[in-house]
Amino acid sequence: MVQEGKGARSPLLRSEDWWALWIGLFIFFLGFLKIGGVDLLGWAVKTNMWLDLSKALTPVSDVYKGLPGFIALILTYIFLTVVLSIGVASMGGNVPRFIGGFTIIFFITYICWMIGNYAYIAATPDQLAKLNIPWSLRMTGESGFIIALIVGLLIGNLFPGLTRYLQEATKPEWFVKTAIVILGGQIGLNALQSTGLTAQVVFRGLCAIIEAYLIYWPLVYFIARRYFKFTPEWAAPLASGISICGVSAAIATGGAIKARPVIPIIVSSLVVIFAVVELIILPFAAQAWLYKEPMVAGAWMGLAVKTDGAAAASGAMVDALIRSKAISALGVKWQEGWMLMATTTVKVFIDIFIAIWAFILAIIWSWKIDRREGEKVNAGEIWLRFPKFVLGYAALFILVILIGKSVGKDTLKLLNAGIGQAGNFRGIFFALTFFTIGLMSNFKKLWEEGMGKLAVVYVVCLFGFIIWIGLLISWLFFHGITPPPVA
């Protein structure tokens, strides 16, 4: 969701999309300097699986192994607060209010993440003997994300005063877009190891979203118009919000068709609330049904779960849950990140297509549905709607592949370490995304804003056919593909 700041001088410095790109690139290149022997991110905090709480936190690099874990946590907090505050200031936000809110959000999120890494919760079957424990819930460390989500939901729905205070720092879309930019480097590193598989994922992801788009949107629009009697002004943002990419799509569509501002806002509230429901249910459904088809599960999250934050978060959960079950049920350990790559690839193509779709709708509404004298369709709408953070994801993906193919093994190891350090921040941003998604999901809004009829359409379309069509399309394009096994 793009938010415009009043005080910014340049378009490059006044939207969350652009600042996700700048911050993601900045963190990546700090890690990238490891390739030259310069360790600028090794002090950042890393969360370990733990039985002894004193060993839960350590610096991410051995270069800083004498640094206490708590100090690494404080340094990480200070670093992120400074970097994000610069972005908030450029976007015209309230920096003191942001710092106050972000301080609370950061430390609650990190406590949740630490709890999720407790060995009896997180350990997978292959880790039990090493940890000398008889059992665990086998949820992996990503269970901390779910704990953060639940705590966020409790605060968001039971403590309205605190929720309002945290509002300036409640930015799940910004957090996850920054994480996705950093993820581009890790995906590029994976691509170096299995180029053929990467090409399959990208090509099939593109085909899948085109097919899904052509089915989802017309169906939702038809149902909203024909059976629920919504006007085009309501039906179009609703169709985009339910069927495509949630908040961003609803807002882009509302702008493209010149809808009243209240319409995409109400649709966006619905999108966030139902994204939470999907986030809680679908990853575990995928683990139960699709553990033998991991890439189908990853693509399904991208096609079914709305909003960038919830989709990427569900992809991370599916990646962890299915890899954990595959170890015990199939006796195979798959490489981390490939299911998340399928989710992200599908979601990135969807985000790219939002710009094109918004432009198409702008033309249709201007020429056919809402013809207004004196208004012209501007081709610049495509660039205006284009999700800028995708540029960072693609740039790092390509850059890592090009560099990785031109360096030797020793340098490649340093590159791997540097990307790992940057990826550590990606994990933090994902955790912040989970907590803030929960924080902004006030279930009472459905009734306070009179959205009962909209909610019925959402339920009918989402659970009636969108989830299942997404599963079918994912199966058609990703059936039989598995991540590379870990030796």
Side-chain angles (χ1 to χ4, degrees):
M1 176 178 173
V2 175
Q3 295 179 350
E4 300 292 341
K6 296 179 181 178
R9 297 180 180 179
S10 167
L12 301 181
L13 297 176
R14 70 168 184 243
S15 77
E16 286 185 0
D17 253 18
W18 278 114
W19 272 103
L21 186 150
W22 302 136
I23 293 173
L25 291 180
F26 175 66
I27 291 174
F28 174 84
F29 281 111
L30 288 180
F32 177 76
L33 292 176
K34 181 79 173 176
I35 202 171
V38 182
D39 196 328
L40 294 182
L41 290 181
W43 46 264
V45 68
K46 175 187 175 185
T47 307
N48 307 304
M49 194 176 299
W50 58 278
L51 287 166
D52 180 353
L53 184 58
S54 65
K55 298 178 180 178
L57 303 178
T58 60
V60 70
S61 172
D62 290 339
V63 174
Y64 295 86
K65 61 183 177 181
L67 188 69
F70 178 72
I71 300 300
L73 178 64
I74 297 299
L75 290 175
T76 303
Y77 157 73
I78 293 172
F79 173 78
L80 287 177
T81 302
V82 170
V83 171
L84 292 171
S85 293
I86 292 171
V88 170
S90 294
M91 291 185 288
N94 185 326
V95 175
R97 190 67 175 261
F98 172 81
I99 292 174
F102 183 73
T103 300
I104 296 172
I105 287 172
F106 178 86
F107 285 105
I108 291 178
T109 298
Y110 221 93
I111 290 170
C112 294
W113 200 6
M114 287 172 59
I115 293 171
N117 276 273
Y118 182 50
Y120 280 98
I121 296 174
T124 52
D126 61 318
Q127 297 170 320
L128 295 179
K130 182 179 179 180
L131 293 166
N132 195 28
I133 58 176
W135 62 274
S136 82
L137 297 179
R138 305 179 181 185
M139 294 287 290
T140 77
E142 279 80 0
S143 58
F145 296 161
I146 294 298
I147 294 172
L149 174 66
I150 293 171
V151 172
L153 284 169
L154 291 174
I155 294 175
N157 286 275
L158 300 179
F159 301 95
L162 178 58
T163 302
R164 284 192 297 272
Y165 178 76
L166 299 177
Q167 186 174 2
E168 184 70 28
T170 303
K171 300 179 180 293
E173 297 289 326
W174 191 24
F175 296 147
V176 79
K177 288 173 182 178
T178 305
I180 289 174
V181 172
I182 300 171
L183 179 63
Q186 182 62 56
I187 299 303
L189 197 62
N190 290 348
L192 285 172
Q193 301 169 9
S194 300
T195 307
L197 178 56
T198 301
Q200 287 190 60
V201 172
V202 172
F203 175 73
R204 293 174 188 230
L206 176 60
C207 295
I209 72 103
I210 291 175
E211 185 168 337
Y213 250 108
L214 296 177
I215 297 173
Y216 285 171
W217 201 95
L219 273 176
V220 177
Y221 185 82
F222 174 77
I223 289 172
R225 294 277 290 131
R226 177 70 178 271
Y227 297 105
F228 291 88
K229 309 303 179 185
F230 282 107
T231 65
E233 184 188 29
W234 279 97
L238 186 62
S240 293
I242 297 176
S243 64
I244 301 172
C245 189
V247 174
S248 298
I251 290 175
T253 299
I257 68 171
K258 308 294 186 184
R260 289 168 293 162
V262 67
I263 293 175
I265 290 173
I266 292 177
V267 172
S268 296
S269 299
L270 273 174
V271 167
V272 171
I273 290 170
F274 280 98
V276 172
V277 176
E278 292 180 282
L279 186 57
I280 293 173
I281 296 174
L282 292 189
F284 295 97
Q287 183 194 36
W289 301 339
L290 298 171
Y291 66 92
K292 294 181 180 179
E293 293 289 347
M295 300 302 280
V296 173
W300 187 32
M301 296 302 102
L303 287 174
V305 181
K306 309 309 163 191
T307 82
D308 292 324
S314 65
M317 279 302 304
V318 160
D319 198 292
L321 290 170
I322 289 184
R323 282 188 295 106
S324 174
K325 184 162 184 175
I327 292 171
S328 58
L330 305 176
V332 60
K333 186 174 183 179
W334 281 317
Q335 189 179 103
E336 181 180 358
W338 284 94
M339 285 166 267
L340 177 57
M341 178 186 178
T343 302
T344 306
T345 299
V346 168
K347 209 62 180 172
V348 165
F349 279 129
I350 287 174
D351 280 337
I352 291 172
F353 207 68
I354 285 174
I356 300 171
W357 194 249
F359 182 63
I360 292 171
L361 291 178
I363 294 174
I364 293 173
W365 250 252
S366 297
W367 287 356
K368 298 292 183 182
I369 296 178
D370 191 23
R371 184 187 296 272
R372 297 175 185 176
E373 188 176 351
E375 288 189 355
K376 297 181 180 180
V377 178
N378 184 357
E381 286 287 330
I382 290 182
W383 174 247
L384 191 62
R385 306 296 181 195
F386 190 89
K388 312 305 186 299
F389 74 95
V390 173
L391 299 174
Y393 175 93
L396 293 186
F397 178 86
I398 295 169
L399 179 66
V400 170
I401 291 177
L402 293 176
I403 293 175
K405 289 184 175 181
S406 62
V407 300
K409 290 184 178 180
D410 292 339
T411 305
L412 190 59
K413 287 181 180 179
L414 291 174
L415 177 64
N416 192 10
I419 291 175
Q421 290 180 6
N424 184 61
F425 281 94
R426 173 178 62 85
I428 295 172
F429 279 116
F430 271 136
L432 291 168
T433 298
F434 270 87
F435 179 75
T436 51
I437 284 175
L439 198 61
M440 67 186 296
S441 301
N442 188 342
F443 293 113
K444 293 180 180 179
K445 284 187 177 181
L446 277 172
W447 310 113
E448 290 176 355
E449 298 180 19
M451 295 189 292
K453 188 177 176 182
L454 286 173
V456 173
V457 180
Y458 209 114
V459 170
V460 168
C461 294
L462 183 65
F463 296 102
F465 61 86
I466 285 177
I467 287 176
W468 313 117
I469 291 175
L471 177 58
L472 175 62
I473 292 174
S474 300
W475 184 275
L476 290 175
F477 286 100
F478 290 91
H479 173 60
I481 303 176
T482 59
V486 177

